[in-house]
Amino acid sequence: MADRHQPALESHAEAHPSGMARTHSDVVGPGHSFGSITDKIASAVLRPGFLPGWLVGFVIAFAVMSMFLLAISWLLIKGTGIWGVNVPVGWGFAIVNFVWWIGIGHAGTLISAILLLFRQKWRMSISRFAEAMTIFAVMCAAIFPVFHTGRPWLAAYWLFPYPNTMGLWPQFRSPLIWDVFAVSTYATVSVLFWYVGLIPDLATTRDRAQNIWVKRIYGVFALGWRGSAMHWQRYEVASLLLAGLATPLVLSVHTVVSFDFAVSVIPGWHATIFPPYFVAGAIYSGFAMVLTLAIPIRAYYGLEDFITMRHIQNMAKVMLATGLIVVYGYSVEAFMGWYSANRYETFMISNRMFGNYWYMYWFLILCNGVTPQLLWFKKVRTNVGLLFVLSLVVNTGMWLERFVIVVTSLSRDFLPSSWSMYAGTRWDWMTYIGTLGLFTWLLFLFLRFVPMISMFEMRTIIPSAKVKKPEGAH
């Protein structure tokens, strides 16, 4: 079936002499045309029925998500006492998981916004599901602080910054309120950016659908797109504006999250290195999650021509670079614990290394600092199976990092008489594992009903989309 948007795409490509439509053979396999790219990507959405592997994965994800629904229901009935939080450790799994999930979502914004502004062609194959990953991760992250407040039906009322006659505004000097603004802004811009990028592909899916109801549903979400020059011009303006808004959010969101710790006086938290250290760790774990998702998706749907080894290697290199920044942060923490000559800071770092949670500290060093050094070797960066294992190791290490930061400082604070150990209960684990199920369940829905790769962007980098030079150009 011929693609009705092909002429518009060709003229769109020719309209960018800056190199937007140049061919990059290492980011798309040979032999592809406009039609073959559209057929390949749209077939995953428009095929009748469900693939057996997709159906099995969807059912498993839903079963795991049911664990989350059970844990949250019991939490609302009994209260936060079912969690493992105690007097010194008022922050437990809820804040650990909140910071971890926010970090997971960072790579999607970096890939979609910053790399778009820098005209990086290798982002095109992975930006769509990386953006979806960002949205789903932020949804999972928002769950934890909402329920950590104890009574979410009241917390939303007290946290929302509206003017009122009783003077009950939130405490704007609290970084927890800053989180509300930062995360909500991040989520809003991410959803808008993702949806605007979907519109041309939703129109293509609408035009290719055979079922009248499917055609109407995609037509509603395509917002009347026809591929005209005016539509493309407005689309590009909107995309660049949203990319410009999203780019500072990559740095600001996790910086604000780090302020939850950095503006306090607790040893191990009160550090100026936390903002860049947290941002680097977020991009580190985010790219690890993109690899965790891209590798099995690439294999199952046969997308080796679209997600090539260049994409895999570039993501591995970003992981290596940000991983080195994270290791530098660990080194600075240890050095300043000694060099500051502050007895509380010295005790904090020695407690992390040799205290009750020593095994978690050294395991995170192994996961985040030692194992990723294998990425220096090209044989490792081109070994897809090994990279998948490494990405899982990094995500495990980044969760341990957040646990060590939160728990070791709180469990041994300034008052020895209140010292206590912390361990998550089965309800803590069920809530956390359940959000993994929620994340995966949403991802399966995305893969089935939304084009997972941007069709129109991929069509700009095949040989038939070369830029035509104007007459007289050299």
Side-chain angles (χ1 to χ4, degrees):
M1 181 177 178
D3 187 357
R4 67 182 293 175
H5 295 308
Q6 180 172 332
L9 281 167
E10 288 177 328
S11 62
H12 171 63
E14 293 169 7
H16 291 277
S18 61
M20 187 174 181
R22 289 178 188 151
T23 302
H24 291 264
S25 59
D26 52 352
V27 295
V28 63
H32 281 289
S33 63
F34 291 119
S36 66
I37 286 178
T38 306
D39 290 338
K40 181 73 172 178
I41 300 172
S43 63
V45 177
L46 297 176
R47 64 161 46 96
F50 302 99
L51 292 172
W54 181 93
L55 195 58
V56 171
F58 180 80
V59 170
I60 293 173
F62 184 80
V64 178
M65 185 183 67
S66 300
M67 183 190 307
F68 162 75
L69 298 175
L70 174 62
I72 290 298
S73 299
W74 190 242
L75 173 70
L76 293 176
I77 293 170
K78 301 296 288 185
T80 52
I82 66 172
W83 287 348
V85 291
N86 51 42
V87 172
V89 188
W91 287 5
F93 265 37
I95 302 301
V96 172
N97 296 331
F98 165 71
V99 179
W100 186 76
W101 275 119
I102 289 293
I104 292 297
H106 258 57
T109 308
L110 187 144
I111 291 170
S112 59
I114 296 180
L115 297 185
L116 171 65
L117 295 177
F118 282 99
R119 304 292 186 184
Q120 294 296 308
K121 300 301 173 187
W122 65 272
R123 55 165 286 278
M124 293 180 177
S125 298
I126 59 175
S127 62
R128 177 69 54 75
F129 65 81
E131 292 165 15
M133 179 196 76
T134 293
I135 296 168
F136 303 152
V138 171
M139 290 171 61
C140 293
I143 291 169
F144 291 99
V146 167
F147 288 100
H148 189 250
T149 56
R151 296 183 177 92
W153 52 91
L154 295 179
Y157 171 82
W158 292 110
L159 288 174
F160 195 78
Y162 63 94
N164 61 92
T165 57
M166 302 296 290
L168 299 176
W169 279 63
Q171 172 55 277
F172 286 106
R173 288 178 294 178
S174 168
L176 301 179
I177 295 298
W178 307 343
D179 278 349
V180 174
F181 288 99
V183 175
S184 60
T185 303
Y186 185 58
T188 302
V189 173
S190 296
V191 170
L192 286 174
F193 194 37
W194 180 67
Y195 180 65
V196 168
L198 272 172
I199 291 174
D201 285 357
L202 293 175
T204 300
T205 309
R206 172 201 64 198
D207 296 339
R208 285 175 165 260
Q210 301 299 318
N211 184 289
I212 184 63
W213 290 107
V214 173
K215 185 182 291 288
R216 287 177 178 174
I217 291 171
Y218 283 111
V220 168
F221 289 103
L223 304 179
W225 178 274
R226 288 292 180 270
S228 67
M230 181 178 291
H231 286 179
W232 280 114
Q233 188 268 340
R234 290 177 176 173
Y235 166 82
E236 292 203 354
V237 170
S239 295
L240 289 175
L241 285 174
L242 289 170
L245 288 172
T247 297
L249 290 176
V250 175
L251 302 177
S252 67
V253 171
H254 224 56
T255 297
V256 171
V257 171
S258 75
F259 288 165
D260 293 350
F261 306 93
V263 300
S264 73
V265 295
I266 301 295
W269 292 4
H270 190 64
T272 55
I273 197 175
F274 263 40
Y277 167 40
F278 267 53
V279 171
I283 297 172
Y284 187 36
S285 60
F287 269 89
M289 183 59 79
V290 173
L291 275 175
T292 303
L293 300 178
I295 289 172
I297 290 172
R298 175 179 184 263
Y300 184 74
Y301 287 97
L303 299 174
E304 288 84 358
D305 281 352
F306 297 160
I307 305 175
T308 66
M309 288 310 301
R310 182 187 176 192
H311 298 93
I312 302 295
Q313 283 207 71
N314 283 353
M315 288 188 282
K317 290 175 182 177
V318 173
M319 277 180 58
L320 176 60
T322 51
L324 291 173
I325 299 174
V326 170
V327 172
Y328 173 75
Y330 298 155
S331 303
V332 169
E333 278 190 314
F335 174 76
M336 293 309 296
W338 165 77
Y339 186 72
S340 65
N342 183 306
R343 67 175 67 182
Y344 303 108
E345 292 289 338
T346 303
F347 174 79
M348 177 277 301
I349 198 65
S350 64
N351 181 54
R352 283 187 183 178
M353 293 180 175
F354 310 110
N356 293 316
Y357 297 100
W358 66 269
Y359 53 93
M360 302 191 76
Y361 178 82
W362 292 111
F363 191 54
L364 84 85
I365 295 297
L366 176 65
C367 293
N368 290 349
V370 178
T371 306
Q373 302 310 312
L374 295 172
L375 295 173
W376 285 103
F377 304 100
K378 188 175 181 179
K379 287 185 178 180
V380 176
R381 296 197 304 270
T382 54
N383 188 320
V384 176
L386 185 54
L387 276 179
F388 180 74
V389 174
L390 278 175
S391 65
L392 292 176
V393 169
V394 168
N395 275 319
T396 302
M398 291 307 295
W399 187 90
L400 289 172
E401 176 200 291
R402 277 60 181 258
F403 182 90
V404 168
I405 288 174
V406 172
V407 175
T408 57
S409 290
L410 287 177
S411 63
R412 295 292 184 269
D413 59 7
F414 292 105
L415 194 62
S417 62
S418 67
W419 288 1
S420 179
M421 294 291 291
Y422 169 85
T425 66
R426 66 176 180 272
W427 300 107
D428 285 300
W429 284 106
M430 287 174 64
T431 306
Y432 170 56
I433 296 172
T435 55
L436 292 174
L438 173 62
F439 176 84
T440 311
W441 181 72
L442 292 170
L443 184 69
F444 274 110
L445 289 176
F446 163 76
L447 294 175
R448 179 62 184 86
F449 297 109
V450 179
M452 68 184 79
I453 296 176
S454 178
M455 289 184 275
F456 82 90
E457 285 191 321
M458 291 299 296
R459 287 180 290 196
T460 64
I461 56 176
I462 60 175
S464 55
K466 287 183 178 179
V467 177
K468 292 182 180 179
K469 292 184 178 180
E471 293 184 6
H474 296 288

